[in-house]
Amino acid sequence: MDLHDFLDHVRRGAVIEGGSEQHAFMHHAAQDALRIAAELNTRYRSPEETRVLLSQLTGRTVDDSVTVFPPFYCEFGKSLTFGKDVFINMGCRFQDTGGITIGDGTLIGHGSTLVTLNHAVDPARRADIVPAPIVIGRQVWLGAAVTVVPGVTIGHGAIVGAGAVVTKDVPANTIVAGVPARPIRATGFDVQGP
């Protein structure tokens, strides 16, 4: 199994069975991500050095406009895509194996957690993992300590209040807050996008 085969498996939303070849690949790949995250988090890094490490983590060039304030934690990396002008504050945790896409101009508050994997409900199959991507549109703002669960899409221009747990898709240009996050009102601005 190689990275391409694994990513194809995950993008189909196929179950990663406990003890399978895919499961072993995921755990092996996590070691590389954890090593890079440790390099990023163990001493001061300039913005340029941070982007170099993020590029190693994701396997693609991270735009010069991206800013990440360490510490930053990620357990896979190769399913993480940053748009331009993205800002990620301190202490964020991304479980990106299922895929995380962050649109241009998005701000993510400190201590936020993005999770793309669920375990099987059946206790006999609890080691099985079900991937589901998170897609964050352009010019989104996640407040501090937001949690986004697997399979959620957050539309362009949306705002998620601090401490919210986002369990359902958020429409574009909408403010949501609470646990679980619920719509509060429209932002009053219309962010469009592809």
Side-chain angles (χ1 to χ4, degrees):
M1 163 142 306
D2 63 15
L3 180 61
H4 175 76
D5 293 336
F6 179 79
L7 291 176
D8 184 55
H9 183 88
V10 169
R11 286 183 188 126
R12 289 193 320 266
V15 172
I16 301 167
E17 293 183 13
S20 67
E21 183 182 15
Q22 292 85 8
H23 194 254
F25 182 89
M26 180 182 71
H27 277 276
H28 178 74
Q31 297 310 305
D32 189 47
L34 295 172
R35 179 189 57 75
I36 294 168
E39 280 186 55
L40 178 64
N41 296 328
T42 53
R43 69 174 179 87
Y44 170 76
R45 300 288 178 177
S46 70
E48 296 78 17
E49 291 172 316
T50 298
R51 282 188 292 275
V52 166
L53 288 167
L54 291 172
S55 295
Q56 291 174 16
L57 179 69
T58 63
R60 59 182 90 50
T61 301
V62 172
D63 192 81
D64 288 345
S65 64
V66 171
T67 301
V68 174
F69 284 179
F72 174 76
Y73 304 97
C74 184
E75 58 43 279
F76 188 71
K78 302 305 187 247
S79 290
L80 176 57
T81 304
F82 295 105
K84 294 181 180 178
D85 297 312
V86 167
F87 174 77
I88 299 172
N89 215 328
M90 297 183 298
C92 289
R93 297 171 301 275
F94 288 10
Q95 182 192 51
D96 73 295
T97 303
I100 296 174
T101 302
I102 303 170
D104 296 347
T106 287
L107 311 175
I108 299 180
H110 64 275
S112 290
T113 302
L114 280 61
V115 181
T116 65
L117 300 176
N118 271 324
H119 289 277
V121 174
D122 178 355
R125 302 296 316 166
R126 193 61 46 88
D128 290 356
I129 298 169
V130 181
I134 291 172
V135 178
I136 300 175
R138 294 187 309 104
Q139 297 179 321
V140 170
W141 173 22
L142 303 186
V146 165
T147 298
V148 182
V149 302
V152 167
T153 295
I154 300 176
H156 302 306
I159 298 172
V160 179
V165 177
V166 185
T167 61
K168 295 180 180 175
D169 290 354
V170 176
N173 308 305
T174 301
I175 300 171
V176 300
V179 179
R182 297 188 193 314
I184 304 296
R185 66 178 173 86
T187 62
F189 299 91
D190 190 19
V191 175
Q192 299 290 320

